[in-house]
Amino acid sequence: MNIQEIIAKKRDKQKLSKEEIDFFIKEYTNGNIADYQASALIMAIYINSMDEEETTNLTIAMAHSGDILDLSELGNVVDKHSTGGVGDKVTLILAPIIASLGIPVAKMSGRGLGYTGGTIDKLEAIPGYNVNVSEKEFIENVKKIGISLIGQTLNLAPADKKIYALRDATSTTESIPLIASSIMSKKIAAGANKIVLDVTYGSGAFMKTKERAQELADTMIKIGKLAGRETVAVITPMEEPLGRNVGNSLEVIEAVQALKGDMAEDVKEVVLELGSNMIKLAGKGDCLEENKAKMLENIRNGKALEKLKELVANQGGDVSYIEDTSKFKKAKYIMPVRLEDKGEIANRNGEQREIQGMGKDETKKEIIYEESTTQRTIKELKAEEVGKLSVFLGAGRIKKEDKIEPEVGITFNKKVGDKVENGDVVAYIHANNEEKAKEAVERLKKIYKLK
Ligand code: URA
């Protein structure tokens, strides 16, 4: 068996056997298959897909590429994973809430992938927070404080770690077999026996339609069942960015505010939906509405925020940043984004012709002024475009070795459904480079669509 034959088979739309999949995962993890060969196979899988049996075999091979943790001594341990989003800071809010209710949370998260953010990059925005704890420490943390959030450390699903970074750099993210195997291999390796999946759909998600999201959810639930892990999936929209910020430290700050009770409505909906299912799975309450009430109570009484502080302290992070989020380093340039005199407001209303003459023709200028003072409603703010913009600013990676700039990103004042008037600041760009900041302002103006 050799890798060229396996690549050729998938390139020619043939089914791969369990032996071939096992060979690829084992040899790639051991460094005997080059990145360029793995990239070619991943691209072939992306284009020609895999059937259910191949996807399951891929997942099991990836899960067994390293250690599989046994957390059974801790009873019911829950894990949560999102298939990806823009502005998705749900784990940072949800995990401490659930742990504060006495339900152990053991979660291995990922880094940013494509234009979507990753919890690990966000946690690393907290000075000192160590995502690379040993497996022993991971288990000890869960035993000691009921929660641990880690990266793909040491020997847990190392095959996914390598393939994930390759996919990020080769535009091969949006694939059901690749996403399902990536997520479920990590979940199986990290040892929790109860898994809640947030399967996103829409512009900012890898699955563009609800039907595709359902297909991905079904695939992962089946794999979970085969692996003896009770798995539930919640399908959530990701058409516009989630919450008020996109960017790593900006999202940590937003998560802290949420745990203090100031949570954006769209974030709250997802947090409560997933959390109420996690509590049910853990056997701590069958009524989802009552579970939501318990979660809100632990935000009100401060227990959830305390749990976040405990988590940060336990993993070496500087808790003073959580106590006083103004300590987070700010980007060098924070520029407002206004929909104004270039006609962003009028031109969304079909006044393109008048705008083209602006600045040269006084009559036209006047017409535009009148048009542009009218109130409009934001119709669209595509999460995928926003995600790409945040990567451009340095909040994500273009090459797998790129360094993240934790402080850069975007803050939204206005989102879909909000009213805007000429000159309103709809967002702020946070950047470390003036030229990039200016370009981002112009790009974001175009991403906002009004009716
Ligand atoms: N999250 C993962 O861990 N893997 C994917 O492929 C997508 C989202």
Side-chain angles (χ1 to χ4, degrees), residues 29-195:
T29 309
N30 292 341
N32 298 329
I33 290 175
D35 276 350
Y36 54 83
Q37 293 172 313
S39 300
L41 180 58
I42 295 294
M43 183 57 88
I45 295 172
Y46 177 89
I47 293 170
N48 294 325
S49 199
M50 282 180 143
D51 69 13
E52 213 172 285
E53 193 180 346
E54 288 175 293
T55 306
T56 305
N57 286 335
L58 180 61
T59 311
I60 303 300
M62 284 165 70
H64 285 87
S65 63
D67 301 335
I68 306 247
L69 296 186
D70 179 3
L71 303 180
S72 54
E73 59 173 309
L74 302 173
N76 281 338
V77 177
V78 290
D79 193 350
K80 166 265 169 193
H81 207 91
S82 161
T83 58
V86 177
D88 186 347
K89 66 278 299 169
V90 168
T91 295
L92 300 176
I93 304 167
L94 175 59
I97 300 178
I98 297 300
S100 74
L101 288 163
I103 299 167
V105 178
K107 173 163 168 53
M108 178 166 55
S109 292
R111 296 194 176 277
L113 185 63
Y115 48 81
T116 67
T119 302
I120 291 309
D121 295 329
K122 294 171 210 202
L123 286 169
E124 281 186 340
I126 304 169
Y129 191 101
N130 180 18
V131 299
N132 295 313
V133 302
S134 69
E135 292 168 14
K136 192 166 162 267
E137 259 179 282
F138 179 55
I139 299 175
E140 287 304 317
N141 288 345
V142 182
K143 271 192 197 160
K144 186 172 142 202
I145 63 161
I147 183 168
S148 191
L149 301 183
I150 61 164
Q152 263 167 296
T153 74
L154 302 170
N155 211 23
L156 294 181
D160 176 58
K161 187 174 182 177
K162 289 186 82 173
I163 294 173
Y164 193 89
L166 264 195
R167 288 168 59 216
D168 189 27
T170 57
S171 294
T172 46
T173 44
E174 295 99 331
S175 147
I176 289 185
L178 295 177
I179 296 174
S181 57
S182 163
I183 292 179
M184 293 310 288
S185 63
K186 281 196 283 277
K187 301 298 97 179
I188 294 167
N193 59 338
K194 309 281 178 184
I195 301 165

Side-chain angles (χ1 to χ4, degrees), residues 85-90 93 122 237-247 250-251 254-255 257-258 262-271 381 383 386 410-416 418 426-427 448:
V86 177
D88 186 347
K89 66 278 299 169
V90 168
I93 304 167
K122 294 171 210 202
M238 184 57 70
E239 200 49 47
E240 64 173 336
L242 198 60
R244 302 175 186 137
N245 296 273
V246 174
L250 292 170
E251 290 187 48
E254 184 176 341
Q257 284 162 350
D262 176 19
M263 186 160 17
E265 277 310 309
D266 56 349
V267 176
K268 192 189 268 182
E269 224 173 278
V270 179
V271 165
L381 179 61
V386 171
I410 305 154
T411 301
F412 300 100
N413 274 3
K414 305 273 185 184
K415 290 180 60 187
V416 172
D418 289 340
V426 291
Y448 273 97

